[in-house]
Amino acid sequence: MTETAGDEFQPFWDAAAAGELRFPFCRSCQKFHWYPMIRCPHCNTADISWRAIDPTGSLYSWTVVQRPFDAAFNDRTPYVVGLLEFPDAPGVRLITNLVDIETDAIEFGMAAAPAFDLYDTAESRLMFRPNVKPARSLE
Ligand SMILES: [Zn+2]
């Protein structure tokens, strides 16, 4: 993502490198938005700060990629792309990769937290790790 990410994302990556999850927050209307914009999409003021939140998200939706568009990702398949919501940042939905989970264990609404331990500053890629529930016993 380094080639395409603009400077407007830099506070997000800086926060990730520091083990925090931050999103743009409008001090005027008190709402979050995503992705980063110079002016608030809700009230059009430029009074925006980056607010740290509780980084645990909730899985809104996901897909399992079996055949990537880019051959560079062939050795990573299957991989999971998830859309996360954050109770601490209403209105934000973040597209990310989910790691360390079996694809058939994924459920709507499951909690996921940033895998800060896997964050790679060179690649600017923050992945999330679901908090897997214990397997249900069949006995
Ligand atoms: Zn606003």
Side-chain angles (χ1 to χ4, degrees):
M1 193 165 178
T2 303
E3 299 91 337
T4 56
D7 290 339
E8 70 270 26
F9 287 91
Q10 197 56 51
F12 181 83
W13 302 126
D14 290 345
E20 291 183 335
L21 193 61
R22 290 182 180 265
F23 290 111
F25 180 80
C26 176
R27 285 184 283 232
S28 179
C29 73
Q30 304 286 299
K31 291 180 180 176
F32 285 93
H33 63 270
W34 187 250
Y35 60 94
M37 302 177 88
I38 295 170
R39 291 189 167 272
C40 173
H42 306 290
C43 73
N44 204 36
T45 65
D47 192 12
I48 294 167
S49 65
W50 284 75
R51 181 167 286 190
I53 66 159
D54 177 336
T56 301
S58 169
L59 187 61
Y60 179 81
S61 189
W62 75 93
T63 188
V64 179
V65 177
Q66 304 285 354
R67 293 159 50 124
F69 287 108
D70 188 332
F73 291 86
N74 280 348
D75 62 348
R76 298 185 188 186
T77 58
Y79 63 88
V80 182
V81 178
L83 185 60
L84 294 175
E85 295 181 314
F86 298 90
D88 215 19
V92 169
R93 285 183 180 159
L94 180 71
I95 296 173
T96 186
N97 287 112
L98 302 182
V99 294
D100 295 344
I101 186 166
E102 296 297 325
T103 55
D104 59 0
I106 301 173
E107 295 180 355
F108 288 107
M110 72 188 317
F116 289 122
D117 55 311
L118 300 178
Y119 178 65
D120 179 349
T121 54
E123 198 170 342
S124 289
R125 192 161 61 105
L126 180 63
M127 299 176 286
F128 279 67
R129 184 179 287 126
N131 301 322
V132 182
K133 296 176 186 172
R136 189 170 29 166
S137 172
L138 298 175
E139 299 176 84

